[in-house]
Amino acid sequence: MTPLHNDTFLRALLKQPVDYTPVWMMRQAGRYLPEYRATRARAGSFLDLCKNTELATEVTIQPLERFDLDAAILFSDILTVPDAMGLGLYFAEGEGPKFTRPLQDEAAIRALAVPDMQKLDYVFAAVASIRRALSGRVPLIGFSGSPFTLACYMVEGGGSKEFRTIKSMLYARPDLLHRILDINAQAVAAYLNAQIDAGAQAVQIFDTWGGALSDAAFQEFSLHYMRQVIGALKREAEGRRVPVIVFTKGGGLWLEALADSGADAVGLDWTCNIAQARARVGDKVALQGNFDPMALFGTAEAVEAEVARILAGFGHGSGHVFNLGHGINQHTDPAQAKVLVDAVHRLSRPYHV
Ligand code: CP3
């Protein structure tokens, strides 16, 4: 393997000294980039793009050609895992992801099993190909959905605002939901370990919908299973630690618990005060995120001011990876993303002397 030329991101996740605060953006490869839309059109569809090694590699690298990012993230989707379980993933134009066979009766749930990882070989092939294309430029992040977030899509059959179906199951038949979550946790651990074997240098667990749960339900149905996943992950590869980032959107109330999950870093959405978050997690974990993706719709000066405010909030020393508090919006002007990335690098140096 080629040596890593820029390991600032990995060092910050482990709270080791850095010269500046590293930055990447959730959904950095995506529809806000015209070159992404062109490649997706060549692939045919989003899923065809995920399954095409060469084109998935191309779109992963695209944002790095425009912006001075400190990490790349595998181009794929969290729903590849339930697709491999046989639920039949498809994307209805303008409606987001859907499953043809959602888990809505007991028989289907009893039949659910950890998928053969060979069904996900296209993901591991993309990881290996992206590592070759990066040739040590920056580290590559692998990812998965959390067991609970995957279950939301698997039970609802698609996106949801109220989560009425899965919450009905949670309160009426918790045994059935626990069975799904147990299988998901095993599948996610195997999936992330296979990404690490293929070359992922850090991994992130996206718990996008954990924040929709009550405090008690979050502990029992989301955090518990993320702990199981984290406990089963390989933590070293190529002679280096493979850091784990856990991101519960809306999880600001549970920072101490997330810091105790076994992860190296905790993702923050934009609703938290990062200075208070740092005080609450102490030395346990690094923090990632905190910039409201919608702030990219302000002026360039407003973007810089918001970057400055977050950097000052975190304060001196290592342990912060700058990021958005959720994925970049598809209507974002790429020029504004460049303003953000450059501002993070320029304005963070005084905090690392
Ligand atoms: O960050 C990156 O650049 C890596 C790629 C990535 C995608 N999805 C590509 C994608 C990652 C890390 C994801 C994670 C993901 N996927 C999550 C968790 C994070 C989050 O955003 O909350 C979730 C919930 C999904 C499920 C999913 N996939 C949804 C809800 C959608 C539709 C959303 C939308 O914006 O329309 C997708 C599709 C998807 N995944 C796109 C991309 C670039 C858009 C597909 C397109 O090109 O039309």
Side-chain angles (χ1 to χ4, degrees):
M1 283 286 178
T2 16
L4 198 47
H5 305 304
N6 174 0
D7 65 355
T8 312
F9 166 73
L10 295 179
R11 297 181 62 83
L13 288 174
L14 301 176
K15 294 190 267 52
Q16 295 165 353
V18 289
D19 295 332
Y20 60 85
T21 303
V23 54
W24 67 282
M25 296 178 292
M26 288 194 267
R27 289 282 180 91
Q28 63 191 21
R31 285 170 296 189
Y32 75 108
L33 293 177
E35 58 271 33
Y36 168 83
R37 297 195 297 267
T39 310
R40 190 184 71 163
R42 267 204 287 150
S45 70
F46 169 67
L47 275 180
D48 290 330
L49 178 53
C50 292
K51 292 182 179 178
N52 183 317
T53 310
E54 193 190 323
L55 297 184
T57 304
E58 186 177 302
V59 294
T60 302
I61 307 292
Q62 281 171 349
L64 305 178
E65 301 293 355
R66 274 190 187 251
F67 318 121
D68 195 9
L69 295 160
D70 295 289
I73 180 161
L74 160 71
F75 188 82
S76 189
D77 199 79
I78 63 166
L79 301 177
T80 52
V81 170
D83 187 46
M85 289 169 167
L87 274 64
L89 175 64
Y90 68 99
F91 283 82
E93 195 57 47
E95 285 183 68
K98 293 223 184 292
F99 287 110
T100 45
R101 290 173 293 278
L103 294 179
Q104 287 173 350
D105 58 70
E106 189 158 349
I109 294 166
R110 298 266 167 244
L112 188 72
V114 176
D116 185 343
M117 286 297 133
Q118 278 177 2
K119 290 206 176 107
L120 292 156
D121 268 345
Y122 66 93
V123 177
F124 315 132
V127 170
S129 160
I130 296 162
R131 275 296 299 278
R132 282 193 295 277
L134 284 170
S135 78
R137 192 164 159 185
V138 290
L140 175 62
I141 306 165
F143 69 89
S144 172
S146 72
F148 178 73
T149 292
L150 295 179
C152 286
Y153 290 93
M154 293 160 74
V155 172
E156 297 287 341
S160 175
K161 284 203 173 77
E162 298 183 318
F163 302 100
R164 188 156 54 87
T165 319
I166 190 164
K167 286 196 175 187
S168 300
M169 188 186 287
L170 186 154
Y171 290 111
R173 288 297 306 271
D175 59 311
L176 292 183
L177 185 54
H178 277 301
R179 171 163 164 88
I180 298 172
L181 293 169
D182 181 49
I183 304 251
N184 282 0
Q186 294 176 49
V188 164
Y191 184 54
L192 288 174
N193 279 334
Q195 290 183 35
I196 293 166
D197 285 341
Q201 290 151 297
V203 293
Q204 175 157 326
I205 300 171
F206 284 90
D207 188 30
T208 307
W209 302 121
L213 291 171
S214 73
D215 173 73
F218 173 73
Q219 316 284 336
E220 181 178 344
F221 295 92
S222 188
L223 184 61
H224 172 78
Y225 291 95
M226 292 200 287
R227 279 178 182 283
Q228 276 192 5
V229 170
I230 295 166
L233 293 181
K234 305 188 176 177
R235 300 302 277 270
E236 210 179 287
E238 302 170 49
R240 273 190 98 119
R241 185 161 176 94
V242 180
V244 177
I245 308 161
V246 59
F247 171 54
T248 295
K249 185 161 172 278
L253 292 168
W254 303 310
L255 288 183
E256 291 84 354
L258 287 163
D260 261 330
S261 64
D264 298 278
V266 171
L268 302 177
D269 63 23
W270 57 90
T271 62
C272 313
N273 174 305
I274 195 170
Q276 289 168 7
R278 188 180 188 182
R280 284 168 61 194
V281 302
D283 274 341
K284 275 201 181 134
V285 287
L287 295 173
Q288 174 176 277
N290 202 218
F291 187 97
D292 181 352
M294 293 303 169
L296 291 171
F297 292 95
T299 59
E301 293 70 32
V303 170
E304 292 186 347
E306 188 59 12
V307 167
R309 196 184 61 74
I310 292 169
L311 291 172
F314 185 82
H316 281 83
S318 185
H320 180 209
V321 170
F322 206 97
N323 203 323
L324 311 180
H326 198 202
I328 191 166
N329 183 278
Q330 63 168 310
H331 303 293
T332 306
D333 177 357
Q336 292 286 82
K338 181 166 165 54
V339 170
L340 176 132
V341 171
D342 292 347
V344 172
H345 285 163
R346 189 175 73 253
L347 301 176
S348 65
R349 288 192 179 264
Y351 295 103
H352 298 283
V353 287

